[in-house]
């Protein structure tokens, strides 16, 4: 390094140090006499994060405001390690700020083209013995997030002090926590009234205390906050919310309260509050925006699209029958669906369910099915038990063989853990599937948490009590668009018209609408060919489903009671799906599709089956639709023009 360059470097370093010190030394906003507080503001229209430090005991907190209203009361921050307590006794040593603007595309999700604009502030705190904890906050138009950074090792992390204190009167939509993230959601009139216990890290709160009226989602229907997390990997464990009776505070616990094993510097996952009006929260990509950029350079092989899923259609017998699978391939090809999914059984011994054929690599009929399907333009996805992929040698054998055969994707099942060890397993499997160009559907799994941005071959994940479950309700159907499906693709597997256990069993139109209402990179359609053929209008609609969505809009909704979403395909058409709880009635749906005249074809329930009707509606106008009790509808909209009578291709 030249003398001039060295001198310039020293000057820049000194300037940077002085600037950071000056920023830290700026007078904090007074919070009475008890606290010092610093605001973090994002782009125009963003909420404001307020980081504060108690002057007496050095406890840090974070609050969130939106347009002068409280979204989150001052809530505890910090973590405790084997060697240091970073939840109290802290002083601020410095603060810096930067603007983040990132452009990226996603093959799955609510929209293809994404722009993430955030303000990031880093607060450098120190304990009395000089140990350092950095609090990194980010503020965007649709959310606030924070994470902790330990620049050096302080031993294993024992717990987080992180918690979320909701305003008095806030109500809640919460799902109990279980390893597979499949428990149902329940509405509570107040956040404090929810029973003591553990809840999934996807809790929705209406923070202005309103009860919801199922009205327009145009921006005047209240303040909402969805608490979630992002960027969880093998350096940490998954988290869930914990609640004590009669409290408006929700704490955060790690998997089984097990310590997080660390060997050096540590960066924790993001703790995120997706916030805004109901449309902002529902349409948000904030959880993906927080995640690391894609680690897959060539994504040309990642191709989403509808699939014929054969488990509910054919069960065990189909899983072990080449002839049955070929018939399903034929049906998928006739419908124009690009994939067929072969579920459990294909690698089992013919005379013993759940026993792996030791000669599966040479005896399996799968290569023959892949060739048969490829000739008809259909790709094959296959089911695997996760235990086959725990040993690196076995994992390579399975994935390399499937890739060599021409299989397009794998459905991996029964992980049922969010431990640090299991998150390391996800890291390994994601790297391997990307290497072998295999798309992925995780079942019995964690929930997305930004994984689809970093690993775009993840088409969808379960983490939901889907169509194969027998305990779903109409309330659950109207809860998922505002909770689980906000944070990433969801394999609910709609379309099982033949199932007597579905909550909208009297509404074929409502069942059809779920294929749009719920986003999934691989939309696994779970009905039988016979059930589709018995409903030709539904079959016609499902044949129109595009491979992916370019844009998503909430048209109207009331979490746990109703939801109507519109999703735009690449050709400009809008697909609309709606679900409603309660008595039969006529509903008015705001048409937030754009100006001009729209041709809208609706599919509703009639006395003899599905009824197709055509309407012409102006953008900004209202579409009036009849729905049966605990039912819904599906629709397809396109630009109205002279002579156009249908939106179908």
């Amino acid at each position: 390094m030249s003398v001039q360059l060295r001198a310039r470097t020293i000057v820049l370093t000194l300037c940077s140090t002085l600037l950071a010190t000056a920023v830290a030394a700026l007078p904090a906003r007074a919070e009475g006499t008890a606290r010092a507080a610093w605001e973090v503001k994002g782009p125009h229209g963003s909420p404001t994060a307020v980081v504060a430090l108690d002057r007496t005991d050095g406890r840090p907190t974070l609050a969130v405001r939106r347009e002068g209203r409280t979204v989150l009361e001052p809530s505890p921050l910090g973590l405790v390690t084997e060697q240091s307590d970073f939840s109290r006794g802290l002083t601020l040593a410095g603060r810096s700020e930067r603007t983040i603007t990132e452009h990226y595309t996603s093959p799955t999700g609510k929209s293809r083209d994404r722009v993430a604009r955030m303000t990031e502030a880093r607060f450098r705190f120190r304990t009395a013995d000089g140990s350092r904890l950095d609090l990194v906050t980010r503020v965007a138009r649709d959310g606030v997030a924070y994470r902790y950074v330990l620049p050096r090792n302080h031993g294993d992390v024992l717990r987080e002090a992180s918690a979320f204190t909701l305003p008095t009167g806030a109500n809640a939509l919460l799902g109990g926590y279980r390893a597979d993230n499949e428990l149902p959601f329940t509405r509570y009139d107040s956040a404090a009234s929810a029973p003591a216990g553990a809840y999934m890290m996807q809790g929705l709160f209406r923070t202005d205390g309103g009860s919801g009226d199922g009205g327009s989602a145009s921006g005047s229907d209240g303040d909402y906050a969805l608490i979630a997390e992002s960027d969880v990997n093998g350096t940490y464990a998954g988290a869930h919310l914990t609640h004590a009776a009669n409290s408006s505070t929700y704490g955060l616990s790690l998997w089984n309260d097990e310590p997080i094993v660390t060997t050096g510097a540590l960066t924790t996952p993001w703790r995120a509050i997706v916030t805004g009006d109901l449309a902002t929260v529902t349409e948000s990509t904030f959880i993906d925006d927080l995640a690391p950029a894609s680690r897959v350079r060539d994504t040309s092989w990642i191709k989403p699209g509808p699939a014929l899923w054969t488990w509910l259609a054919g069960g065990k017998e189909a899983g072990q029958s080449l002839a049955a699978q070929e018939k399903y391939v034929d049906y998928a090809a006739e419908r124009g669906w690009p994939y067929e999914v072969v579920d459990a059984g294909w690698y089992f011994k013919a005379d013993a369910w759940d026993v792996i054929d030791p000669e599966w690599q040479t005896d399996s009929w799968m290569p023959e099915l892949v060739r048969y399907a490829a000739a008809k333009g259909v790709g094959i996805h296959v089911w695997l038990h996760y235990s086959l992929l725990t040993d690196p040698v076995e994992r390579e054998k399975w994935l390399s063989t499937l890739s060599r055969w021409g299989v397009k994707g794998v459905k991996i099942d029964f992980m049922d853990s969010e431990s640090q060890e299991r998150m390391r397993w996800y890291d390994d499997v994601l790297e391997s599937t990307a290497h072998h160009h295999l798309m992925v559907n995780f079942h019995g799994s964690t929930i997305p948490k930004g994984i689809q941005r970093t690993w775009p071959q993840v088409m969808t994940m379960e983490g939901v009590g889907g169509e194969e479950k027998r305990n779903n309700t109409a309330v659950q159907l109207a809860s998922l668009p505002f909770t689980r499906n906000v944070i990433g693709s969801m394999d609910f597997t709609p379309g099982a018209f033949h199932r007597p256990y579905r909550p909208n069993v009297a509404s074929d139109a409502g069942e059809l609408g779920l294929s749009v209402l719920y986003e999934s990179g691989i939309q696994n359609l779970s009905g039988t060919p016979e059930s589709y053929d018995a409903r030709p209008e539904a079959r016609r609609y499902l044949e129109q489903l595009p491979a992916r969505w370019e844009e998503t809009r909430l048209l109207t909704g009331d979490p746990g009671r109703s939801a109507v979403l519109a999703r735009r395909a690449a050709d400009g058409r809008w697909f609309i799906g709606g679900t409603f709880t309660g008595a039969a009635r006529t509903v008015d749906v705001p048409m937030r599709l754009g100006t001009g005249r729209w041709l809208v074809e609706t599919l509703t329930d009639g006395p003899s089956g599905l009824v197709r009707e055509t309407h012409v509606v102006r953008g900004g106008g209202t579409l009036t639709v009849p729905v049966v009790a605990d039912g819904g509808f599906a629709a397809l909209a396109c630009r109205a023009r002279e002579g156009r009578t249908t939106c179908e291709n």
Side-chain angles (χ1 to χ4, degrees), residues 424-508:
R424 289 196 195 105
W425 175 88
Y426 277 103
D427 292 344
D428 294 338
V429 165
L430 288 164
E431 187 170 353
S432 296
T433 52
H435 174 72
H436 289 294
H437 287 193
L438 290 167
M439 291 177 279
V440 180
N441 173 3
F442 287 119
H443 265 232
S445 66
T446 184
I447 49 182
K449 303 180 182 182
I451 194 174
Q452 290 178 279
R453 181 181 180 187
T454 308
W455 298 103
Q457 81 270 24
V458 178
M459 293 287 94
T460 190
M461 304 177 77
E462 192 178 29
V464 66
E467 198 81 287
E468 61 183 307
K469 302 300 184 293
R470 301 187 180 195
N471 60 347
N472 271 319
T473 64
V475 171
Q476 178 77 344
L477 298 184
S479 299
L480 296 173
F482 308 108
T483 51
R484 169 61 182 83
N485 216 188
V486 170
I487 61 175
S489 295
M490 179 179 76
D491 195 22
F492 187 85
T493 66
F497 295 102
H498 63 298
R499 292 280 283 179
Y501 311 106
R502 58 186 176 95
N504 56 2
V505 68
S507 178
D508 284 349

Side-chain angles (χ1 to χ4, degrees), residues 312-353:
L312 292 190
K316 292 182 178 181
E317 292 77 11
Q320 295 188 300
S321 170
L322 172 61
Q325 295 298 331
E326 288 179 338
K327 289 180 180 178
Y328 289 130
V329 165
D330 292 343
Y331 197 80
E334 291 167 5
R335 306 280 77 76
W337 299 332
Y339 298 113
E340 189 250 13
V341 181
V342 183
D343 216 276
W346 69 270
Y347 57 76
F348 295 160
K349 295 181 69 173
D351 57 350
W353 182 262

Side-chain angles (χ1 to χ4, degrees), residues 6-22:
R6 183 178 291 111
R8 184 181 302 169
T9 301
I10 292 171
V11 170
L12 289 173
T13 302
L14 285 171
C15 288
S16 177
T17 302
L18 289 170
L19 177 60
T21 303

Side-chain angles (χ1 to χ4, degrees), residues 415-431:
M415 286 72 70
D416 292 334
S417 171
E418 295 181 317
S419 67
Q420 184 178 14
E421 179 185 10
R422 194 56 45 81
M423 300 313 296
R424 289 196 195 105
W425 175 88
Y426 277 103
D427 292 344
D428 294 338
V429 165
L430 288 164
E431 187 170 353

